[in-house]
Amino acid sequence: MSFFVGLVVGIVVGFALIVVFVRSENARSKLRTDLAATVAAFARMTVEDSRQLLGPEYYPSWVVFSQRQKLNWLNSHLTKIWPYVNEAASELIKSSVEPTLEQYRPIILSSLKFSKFTLGTVAPQFTGVSILESDSSGVTMELEMNWDGNPNIVLDVKTRLGVSLPVQVKDIGFTGVFRLIFKPLVEELPCFGAVCYSLRQKKKFDFKLKVIGGDITSIPGLSGALEDTIHNAIEDSITWPVRKIVPILPGDYSDLELKPSGTLEVKLVQAKDLTNKDFIGKSDPYAELYIRPLRERTKTSKIISNDLNPIWNEHYEFVVEDASTQHLYVKIFDDEGLQASELLGCAQVQLSELEPGKVKDVWLKLVKDLEVQRDNKYRGEVHLELLYCPYGMENSFTNPFAKKVEMTTLERVLKSSGNGIADAALTEREVSQKKREVIVRGVLSVTVISAEDLPVVDLMGKADPFVVLTMKKSDTKNKTRVVNENLNPEWNQTFDFVVEDALHDMLIAEVYDHDTFRKEYIGRCILTLTRVILEGECRECFTLDGAKSGRLNLSLKWVPQPIYRDSQW
């Protein structure tokens, strides 16, 4: 009997083992199939697929997705023909850069020219090429280049004291992207009429200066002046949007030349939470703004002494040549008197992000270096107001006085927009005697609607908030009533201000907590009047600066009463 029981048990256990083994093999087979499908899917993934799956914050800094194709074949051929390319390119670069060097010659020098200029025996390496989408009338190509060469470049430097110095430019390291535009396309070989070339992006450009047979530090300031001159000369002669045109076929190619495409109105409003670089007191910040880093195109603000939250409210106008690729750069420095200023932070704005004819109000976080993508340290913020005005827009930004009277583009916008500014004409006699500038004068109605999520100030867990409104230029003040024990107060009070020069004035709204013997500051928001002048009326919720939390709801209305101020030429 026990034999049969053992036999049955053995058969059942055997079948169970067989079932478990088959299921295990099926599961392993399915896993291998799924793994193979996953590997195949990864093999078919494109760069765009990778970017959709994982954001850039998940990649290490050395991971780069490039859209450029490799050019090993071109580098191989370029190495062979480099001796011939060197002669032609050296003469071309010398003739292009030398006049610009003379233009940016430091005041301490009487002459600055090349005495020797060859690119050496080391050919540059092209690390990638890409074709950009453009209109059907031309082809745009970008070549990424890396060059650590051994050039023989000697500058003949003559000072105003009669001293002549041969200065060698050595140890050049360059990485950048060159843009080639083949345009227009024609039905005659080589199928394009001209070639435009330009330095689209300068990623790295390092070099050293050495006086042959001497020490460059023997003349104080000479090394720094020459370095700035070389950088400015390259920026002004070949860096995009500047381009050089080489005609291939006979024809008129003036349409390919660099032309202004519009103007950018910039109001530098304020900065906050700047880094303190001084051991005694606070930093003395000022700002530099530019689109192209040229001496005559760089705007510098006034210095605000001993303040980490400076208010400038200064207006600048910049010429824009290519809004699709150019940026506005802002650098904040700490003034050190006779010593070199120290950089507090910098920021940039892509002009392509601006909607033409619309005011854009932005807060930009400051970073140490624009080339470093992951700078997580907080260095403060800068507040800008931007208005891009391209030429030839349908709602024209020009006016009858454009060629006779000096006005900013913003004033011309307001002049032609019909916001109550008289469309008058100057007689030749008036023009010859006086310059007339538009002052935007009017009544600003400010409605303080409410506040939200104010921080706790009182010991009982509440606050007694009220708002003080101040026009900065006239120092005219108004204040709301006090709302007791409320972190989300409502006022709905309206105040009128007569503003004499709205383009250069600003409204400061400060929130305080009312106590019996004093008032305690909670936070503030600063508003320029450009938007309400252009739109007539606006309503917005503003975050309170200087407060842990809180927002202020304001409604603004503008009623213009324009006047003109007359000043002698």
Side-chain angles (χ1 to χ4, degrees), residues 550-565:
R551 296 176 299 277
L552 186 62
N553 293 303
L554 299 177
S555 176
L556 285 77
K557 185 176 181 180
W558 176 254
V559 179
Q561 296 176 359
I563 62 173
Y564 292 93
R565 66 168 173 259

Side-chain angles (χ1 to χ4, degrees), residues 228-471:
D228 290 342
T229 299
I230 292 173
H231 281 290
N232 286 335
I234 293 175
E235 187 72 32
D236 197 21
S237 61
I238 197 175
T239 303
W240 183 266
V242 177
R243 73 287 304 267
K244 299 296 182 182
I245 302 173
V246 181
I248 304 299
L249 299 175
D252 180 15
Y253 303 111
S254 58
D255 60 317
L256 300 179
E257 296 176 355
L258 177 65
K259 296 183 180 68
S261 62
T263 56
L264 178 67
E265 300 290 337
V266 179
K267 181 167 284 189
L268 174 65
V269 183
Q270 61 176 322
K272 67 177 181 180
D273 303 331
L274 297 180
T275 305
N276 189 10
K277 295 289 186 178
D278 293 348
F279 292 105
I280 301 176
K282 299 177 181 178
S283 297
D284 307 314
Y286 70 93
E288 287 186 356
L289 302 91
Y290 60 86
I291 293 179
R292 293 174 58 193
L294 303 176
R295 186 187 310 163
E296 70 277 6
R297 292 198 178 189
T298 300
K299 311 295 184 181
T300 304
S301 75
K302 62 185 177 184
I303 299 171
I304 307 295
S305 299
N306 199 37
D307 197 341
L308 300 181
N309 298 281
I311 299 175
W312 287 288
N313 193 33
E314 297 184 15
H315 175 262
Y316 309 103
E317 183 173 286
F318 296 90
V319 176
V320 178
E321 286 97 356
D322 184 5
S324 63
T325 60
Q326 288 186 301
H327 297 70
L328 173 70
Y329 298 92
V330 184
K331 293 185 177 180
I332 310 296
F333 293 91
D334 175 27
D335 179 65
E336 298 290 348
L338 297 178
Q339 299 180 359
S341 299
E342 190 170 359
L343 180 67
L344 298 179
C346 52
Q348 65 179 353
V349 180
Q350 294 183 10
L351 302 190
S352 58
E353 296 178 352
L354 304 180
E355 184 179 352
K358 297 292 184 180
V359 176
K360 183 171 184 178
D361 191 273
V362 293
W363 280 94
L364 302 175
K365 288 188 177 181
L366 298 174
V367 297
K368 182 178 181 180
D369 189 343
L370 294 174
E371 300 297 328
V372 178
Q373 299 297 324
R374 298 182 183 178
D375 184 1
N376 295 322
K377 182 178 178 180
Y378 183 69
R379 305 175 189 277
E381 298 177 58
V382 61
H383 183 194
L384 301 177
E385 194 176 69
L386 308 170
L387 173 63
Y388 173 51
C389 307
Y391 298 143
M393 284 190 64
E394 294 181 18
N395 56 338
S396 175
F397 287 93
T398 59
N399 67 87
F401 305 107
K403 295 183 180 180
K404 299 179 181 180
V405 178
E406 293 183 2
M407 291 191 293
T408 66
T409 302
L410 181 54
E411 289 172 331
R412 294 197 291 268
V413 172
L414 298 171
K415 175 97 176 64
S416 60
S417 63
N419 285 342
I421 301 177
D423 188 11
L426 288 176
T427 66
E428 292 296 329
R429 190 179 205 177
E430 289 172 325
V431 170
S432 64
Q433 293 177 349
K434 296 182 178 181
K435 177 178 70 174
R436 307 183 73 202
E437 296 177 350
V438 173
I439 292 183
V440 181
R441 181 180 186 271
V443 177
L444 177 68
S445 297
V446 182
T447 301
V448 183
I449 302 172
S450 63
E452 304 171 7
D453 194 26
L454 294 180
V456 175
V457 179
D458 294 342
L459 296 176
M460 301 301 294
K462 294 287 186 178
D464 307 314
F466 66 97
V467 179
V468 176
L469 301 175
T470 307
M471 296 306 303

Side-chain angles (χ1 to χ4, degrees), residues 45-64:
M45 278 181 59
T46 64
V47 171
E48 293 302 322
D49 295 332
S50 302
R51 289 176 175 172
Q52 290 179 4
L53 287 176
L54 295 175
E57 65 273 11
Y58 295 103
Y59 294 105
S61 59
W62 47 265
V63 173
V64 177

Side-chain angles (χ1 to χ4, degrees), residues 177-229:
V177 178
F178 280 91
R179 173 172 286 188
L180 301 177
I181 302 176
F182 302 90
K183 192 174 181 178
L185 300 181
V186 296
E187 297 179 354
E188 180 181 352
L189 288 176
C191 299
F192 52 88
V195 178
C196 299
Y197 67 91
S198 177
L199 177 58
R200 170 66 181 85
Q201 184 181 8
K202 183 174 57 178
K203 296 183 178 180
K204 184 190 78 169
F205 181 49
D206 300 324
F207 59 89
K208 293 181 180 179
L209 299 176
K210 179 183 178 182
V211 174
I212 299 177
D215 186 2
I216 197 170
T217 59
S218 59
I219 301 180
L222 179 60
S223 177
L226 285 178
E227 288 181 5
D228 290 342
T229 299

Side-chain angles (χ1 to χ4, degrees), residues 477-493:
K477 297 179 183 289
N478 278 305
K479 69 176 183 179
T480 67
R481 64 178 182 275
V482 177
V483 178
N484 294 318
E485 298 185 357
N486 200 325
L487 299 180
N488 297 280
E490 293 186 4
W491 291 282
N492 291 310
Q493 290 183 258

